Amino acid sequence: MNDTIELKILRYPKLAKCSSCSRVRDIYYKALIYDVDDKKSIVGDLDLCKLCGENIHRGQGGDAGGPTEVIKSFNFGMQK
């Protein structure tokens, strides 16, 4: 993956204009653009719809489903 662009999934999608395709859609992703020299300073960001976010993720070498991360799995079974 490219270390100057970090793709984040938004917890709650919002209706706005996509920075890539310029269509008003639900925004699912935010791409953070880091400085090339120090890799720590954010120099900009992009709001991306689901289609554009998944395309950028695949373009960076990710899988087809977009960036995913499982925090924890829960068992809601009854306990005695």
Side-chain angles (χ1 to χ4, degrees):
M1 296 274 286
N2 189 343
D3 58 351
T4 58
I5 300 174
E6 182 180 4
L7 204 58
K8 298 281 190 177
I9 300 174
L10 297 178
R11 177 177 283 174
Y12 302 109
K14 61 180 182 175
L15 186 66
K17 187 175 184 179
C18 178
S19 299
S20 178
C21 66
S22 299
R23 295 184 212 147
V24 176
R25 293 184 166 186
D26 284 337
I27 300 300
Y28 286 90
Y29 299 98
K30 181 164 288 278
L32 301 174
I33 314 297
Y34 289 95
D35 187 41
V36 176
D37 295 327
D38 68 0
K39 311 272 192 286
K40 294 179 184 176
S41 302
I42 297 175
V43 295
D45 63 357
L46 301 170
D47 290 331
L48 301 169
C49 66
K50 188 172 185 176
L51 180 65
C52 293
E54 288 174 354
N55 282 335
I56 288 177
H57 181 70
R58 279 195 319 264
Q60 289 184 327
D63 60 348
T68 58
E69 178 180 341
V70 176
I71 305 298
K72 284 187 178 182
S73 58
F74 293 95
N75 183 2
F76 292 104
M78 301 274 295
Q79 294 183 354
K80 294 181 180 182

